[in-house]
Amino acid sequence: MSVTGNQSCLMGAEGTISFLVCVFHSWEEWAGLGQVEDYLSVLEYLLWVFTPLAIVFILPFLIVILLYLSILFLHVYKRKNQLREAYSNNLWDGARKTLATLWDGHGAIWHGYEIHGMEKIPDEGPALIVYYHGAIPIDYYYFLANVIIQKGRTCHSVADHFLFKIPGFKLLLEVFSVIHGPQEECVQALKNGHILGISPGGVREALFSDETYPLLWGKRKGFAQVAIDAEVTIIPMFTQNVREGFRSLGTLRFFRWLYERFRLPVAPVYGGFPVKFRTFLGDPIPYDKSVNASELAEKVQQAVQSLIDQHQKIPGNILRALLERFHTKHKGA
């Protein structure tokens, strides 16, 4: 409405109500509220478009938050039991079992988590678990929880060096017996009768593997040499749909360059989708003194690849993995 139109409206208004309506329209145009409505419509559209995108990048951070809540619980538990620490060598058993129960509950609720072949994990004595590494190895956390709950044992784990540099993680890594992987330390853990978990693909596999599930082990054979030196059985492991739960943007050139040039594992991870997770433990590969490290590494890689071929539909599909929550059949059943 123009200024002339406003004046005509005011001059032609008869009665109090007509006058007030006219004044309101004049004020609305003067304040530009019509344009504000247009702006709000655009903002509403942008919010509708970008909210799902924001959610899939926020959910991975919730896992980190859960890890920090676990660390906070350990600190509280330690403070509460200071006096008992001097008299008990099993101070952390209660903490480990409590956190294992929490993580197992999270797996059951969010992913309908199942584990097949748990009987292959020895009730006592050493074994080396070799597994495929997802973008976030949350399936491995669930596996660790099940070992604690079902077997009453703590599975030691090998992790990348960068994990030990994250502020606040030291206590969590110590309580759950995580080491950074010198072969001598791995061999000693096995000789002491512990179960040890390792992913030969490590961070590289986490960042750069994709929904086709390639194993990115390169020529790594240190894990095989560890098994030979400790004279232990190797148990291959793979979790169905682990790449559909969380995915990495590491396949983009920039993030790959950052890792290759500076060893910075900074590729964004997105997901947190409540897809079906099933962990499969393959047939144990017994110690054979006639097999060298290269031959054993190849044999183990074939065993993990066989689990992928048997239990994972390629390429992975997020929608299909979500629908698997509602029925019990699975590939390889």
Side-chain angles (χ1 to χ4, degrees), residues 301-317:
Q301 185 167 350
Q302 290 176 358
V304 176
Q305 185 63 56
S306 178
L307 289 175
I308 295 174
D309 295 340
Q310 184 179 355
H311 300 293
Q312 183 64 52
K313 292 181 180 179
I314 303 295
N317 181 279

Side-chain angles (χ1 to χ4, degrees), residues 203-205 207-208 216 220 250 252-266:
V203 173
R204 182 179 297 277
E205 194 165 82
L207 296 180
F208 308 129
L216 304 183
R220 293 184 178 181
L252 299 179
R253 286 186 178 181
F254 174 71
F255 298 115
R256 182 135 198 171
W257 176 81
L258 275 180
Y259 181 77
E260 300 294 356
R261 181 68 177 83
F262 302 104
R263 284 296 183 268
L264 293 175
V266 293

Side-chain angles (χ1 to χ4, degrees), residues 110-147:
W110 197 247
H111 293 289
Y113 182 72
E114 300 174 9
I115 185 165
H116 300 265
M118 195 65 178
E119 69 279 358
K120 297 171 184 177
I121 302 294
D123 293 329
E124 57 183 23
L128 181 62
I129 311 297
V130 178
Y131 64 96
Y132 172 85
H133 202 303
I136 292 180
I138 192 170
D139 60 310
Y140 183 67
Y141 305 159
Y142 299 151
F143 166 73
L144 296 179
N146 274 267
V147 171

